[in-house]
Amino acid sequence: KIIAKVPQADERDPLGLAYILADVGAGDRALELIAPLVEDEQRGPGALLVQAYALERLQRYDDALASLVKARDLGLETVNLHRNFGTLLGGMGRLAEAADHFDEALHLDPQDDYCRIWLSLMHRRLGQNDQEALKNYLGMRGFKDSDWPRQMLRYLLGELKDEELVAAAAVGVDKELARGQACEAWFVIGQRRLADKDTAGAMAAF
């Protein structure tokens, strides 16, 4: 029934399907689906990334971290691995470790906008000023004015207010994409409020 409701689901792609299942709240089913693949020599590292995501969605954070560590120990060294480490550790409050992983991801792909945004959020919550580096990144990327990552980076630089970022999420995109970008906007706003010790404001944003 879940698969039927998700147009991009493909039963021939168990890893992709498991990720979708985890994303829509069927984490236990996702774990069942990829269990045979975790020990596969070729597909094991990728399966472990999906396993970690499903476990994180089930709020089994220590188990998710163990899956990522195992994938790394098997030789996986990708942007996705470090991004997943960073988001998981950030959510666990291990901010310095999270920042290190986002930094490593940016070494692998210097133009990964979301890792740069996450890195700035971790720095801010750690009380570190990275505004100059953020300005340099924004200049290096050469965004179009309407590009969504540009708006989030401008927000982190203090060039946009909360309501301006939320409004920018709906500019020039369809309703589905606007909804997703609005979620990202409120998440970034919440993280910034956490950094500013405004816990109540952060919870309202989340």
Side-chain angles (χ1 to χ4, degrees), residues 18-159:
Y19 188 92
I20 292 169
L21 289 168
D23 207 36
V24 298
D28 288 331
R29 180 69 187 97
L31 293 174
E32 291 174 12
L33 188 64
I34 60 174
L37 301 176
V38 169
E39 302 301 329
D40 183 271
E41 186 174 342
Q42 291 186 326
R43 308 189 74 176
L48 285 163
L49 286 187
V50 180
Q51 183 184 70
Y53 179 68
L55 290 166
E56 182 180 3
R57 296 283 290 176
L58 291 168
Q59 299 183 13
R60 292 170 56 184
Y61 302 120
D62 290 334
D63 291 337
L65 187 58
S67 293
L68 293 179
V69 170
K70 186 174 181 180
R72 183 186 61 193
D73 291 346
L74 288 173
L76 192 66
E77 180 69 11
T78 64
V79 171
N80 280 344
L81 174 70
H82 288 291
R83 185 191 296 119
N84 290 358
F85 262 123
T87 55
L88 177 61
L89 289 165
M92 295 172 74
R94 294 164 63 172
L95 306 180
E97 293 172 83
D100 287 343
H101 280 287
F102 289 123
D103 194 42
E104 189 60 37
L106 286 164
H107 281 297
L108 295 171
D109 180 2
Q111 296 189 9
D112 189 306
D113 300 321
Y114 282 87
C115 283
R116 190 63 194 81
I117 289 164
W118 266 98
L119 180 59
S120 184
L121 290 169
M122 295 301 100
H123 283 163
R124 192 179 184 97
R125 289 185 62 187
L126 287 163
Q128 299 169 359
N129 188 330
D130 73 343
Q131 297 290 281
E132 196 61 36
L134 207 56
K135 288 178 184 177
N136 291 338
Y137 181 85
L138 189 58
M140 175 271 292
R141 285 292 281 119
F143 290 115
K144 297 177 182 177
D145 288 348
S146 60
D147 286 344
W148 175 236
R150 176 178 181 269
Q151 307 309 321
M152 290 192 286
L153 290 163
R154 290 183 64 213
Y155 174 76
L156 293 175
L157 285 167
E159 297 176 7

Side-chain angles (χ1 to χ4, degrees), residues 148 151 154-155 158-169:
W148 175 236
Q151 307 309 321
R154 290 183 64 213
Y155 174 76
E159 297 176 7
L160 295 178
K161 297 178 181 178
D162 293 358
E163 61 272 18
E164 291 173 325
L165 179 63
V166 174

